[in-house]
Amino acid sequence: MSDDIRIQEKISGGPTATAASDGDAHHVDVAAQYANHFTNGGETYSRTEEWRLRWKLDLRLVPLLWFNVTLGAMDKVTTSTAALYNFRQDTGLDGDKYSWVGSAFYFGYLIWCLPSGSMLQRFPLAKLLCAVQLVWGCVLVATGFANNFASLIALRVLLGALEAPIVPGNFLVLGMWYTRAEQPLRTGLMYTGLSVCFTGPIGWGIGFLRDDHQWRAMFWITGAITIVWAVVVGIFLPDNPVTAKFVQPREKAVAIERLRADQTGIENKTFNKKQMFEAFTDPKTWLMCLFHLTISIPNGGLTNFAPPRLGYTSQRSTLLMMPTGVVQTAASYLCNGGVFLCVKYLPTYQTRAAWALLGILGGLASTVLLRTLAVDDYSGRLAALYMAYFYYGPYVVSLGLNMANTAGHTKKVTTNALVFVAYCVSNIVAPQFFVASQAPVYPLGIAAILGSYVLSAVFIVLYAAYCVYENRRRDRVDGAATGERIHRETDFRDLTDKENVHFRYVW
């Protein structure tokens, strides 16, 4: 028995998965057919070749992933723009019914998080995203014909269920093509707040329509855009590197070889119950869930209640909300760009948690201003409201961190699903802190956001501390391992991060 295999058994508590994988193809990653292209015979690829491939991937994948996220962000807040145009009055959303319409979306998302994770593993990824977005667009169009609370609740629950696979699917695509060092920058580019560049002009434009068509047109227009985009995704987004038609066979081998050292694998279509149970028993999973439970409170509150509380006309409010997207984008670029630069130029330092904490402090300071500024200080409160959207940076960093620290395909989709369950619970709860009778200041809602920032800072620090502890424990067992070493008994064997002694966590 080799030293590597003995070490593997020490950390996993039993025989390594290598033997099982040799006899059962279901345990092997889909990338295995290309995994030995450069390890047999000493053949290699140049830095120029890798650079050209990376640009090719960026030009194809990043715009597709960006608009997938942007479309979801645009479509789920259509109710907040519609609320500026008699949406509440026309559909009988008196009292706190509007809050429940906002929460209903996340009930659907919550219910379908785990089933959608299973679907992402079992079905071709790009084709599933295409089908989901096609139906999603039809549901949005149907929302424009709704006339009462019951029909809105049903449609919003369905819309939430349809969005459940989108972001986890995006991160699976990202993990298939990019190394852990490259992912933060692409995550930042993928996750922006630029949906306001669509909702703002559309919201302003519908103000010129007849009164009885204004809010309905918001849903009809965004629904039509989504249907068209579904076709684009079906044509241009690949299911995985092995079946992708826009890259040549040698480029596929290069793409897969680049990911070898990360030990995260590419894809496996066979559901592994052992990996699912490991996701449920991994402390990292629950620390990340707690972080998302708290960091998403600002999202749930601000996206549903920010436009009506500005004190301006309906059309002007839609335009004045556009800078919130700029702040979200700046936060995402700053935090994720900072992570990328530190990984590239300071590789011995781990800074992901530090950048998340920086973003949390920015959001915390702006929320304090929202709580303390006078109600009639429109300019000051507007500026503070803009900066409150800085929570977006830490949120995006944590999504990339979760993907980078999870190996094993079933464990990936399960962990992603659990994190988005926490996200949904947070967004269901958050609007309930914004009590209608407390408008326009919403002191309880602002207090909830302040508390959520403090708790999220605690949880991200605990997550980083656990990663430090686990890495040091692995270093004692696997002292000879380095990030560049090839480990044939674990490469592309669909092992989880917990099973694989050579895996190291980033934080």
Side-chain angles (χ1 to χ4, degrees), residues 292-315:
H292 277 262
L293 190 65
T294 51
I295 198 63
S296 298
I297 290 289
N299 180 72
L302 295 173
T303 55
N304 285 287
F305 289 91
R309 65 194 290 262
L310 291 172
Y312 298 100
T313 63
S314 296
Q315 279 189 292

Side-chain angles (χ1 to χ4, degrees), residues 6-215:
R6 289 192 184 97
I7 292 171
Q8 189 68 31
E9 291 184 0
K10 286 182 183 179
I11 196 166
S12 63
T16 179
T18 306
S21 64
D22 291 339
D24 185 359
H26 292 303
H27 291 277
V28 180
D29 195 286
V30 296
Q33 60 182 291
Y34 286 95
N36 296 320
H37 185 87
F38 292 105
T39 57
N40 293 333
E43 187 181 359
T44 186
Y45 57 89
S46 67
R47 291 175 61 88
T48 301
E49 195 173 3
E50 182 182 9
W51 179 84
R52 288 175 178 169
L53 174 62
R54 190 164 53 234
W55 266 109
K56 188 174 186 177
L57 299 179
D58 286 343
L59 293 174
R60 168 65 74 99
L61 299 177
V62 172
L64 292 170
L65 299 180
W66 170 75
F67 201 67
N68 276 348
V69 173
T70 300
L71 198 64
M74 177 178 73
D75 289 350
K76 71 184 176 186
V77 298
T78 45
T79 52
S80 63
T81 302
L84 299 170
Y85 294 104
N86 296 320
F87 172 60
R88 298 191 194 192
Q89 295 85 343
D90 291 351
T91 54
L93 301 183
D94 54 331
D96 290 328
K97 288 183 178 179
Y98 176 71
S99 296
W100 285 108
V101 169
S103 296
F105 174 90
Y106 295 100
F107 277 110
Y109 207 135
L110 174 65
I111 292 168
W112 206 246
C113 272
L114 288 172
S116 68
S118 178
M119 292 171 66
L120 285 168
Q121 182 169 18
R122 293 180 184 276
F123 296 103
L125 186 56
K127 295 176 181 63
L128 176 64
L129 296 183
C130 169
V132 164
Q133 288 179 326
L134 189 63
V135 181
W136 168 0
C138 295
V139 170
L140 268 176
V141 172
T143 307
F145 293 97
N147 291 303
N148 54 62
F149 177 67
S151 60
L152 283 170
I153 288 291
L155 288 166
R156 293 288 290 177
V157 168
L158 182 55
L159 189 68
L162 290 167
E163 191 183 331
I166 301 299
V167 174
N170 268 16
F171 275 100
L172 287 176
V173 173
L174 203 66
M176 289 177 184
W177 292 95
Y178 294 102
T179 67
R180 292 200 295 182
E182 295 165 349
Q183 287 173 18
L185 180 62
R186 277 77 188 176
T187 300
L189 293 173
M190 177 178 77
Y191 252 101
T192 69
L194 297 180
S195 61
V196 294
C197 294
F198 300 94
T199 56
I202 294 171
W204 177 78
I206 63 177
F208 294 101
L209 301 176
R210 283 170 30 193
D211 289 348
D212 58 338
H213 282 166
Q214 288 175 332
W215 68 264

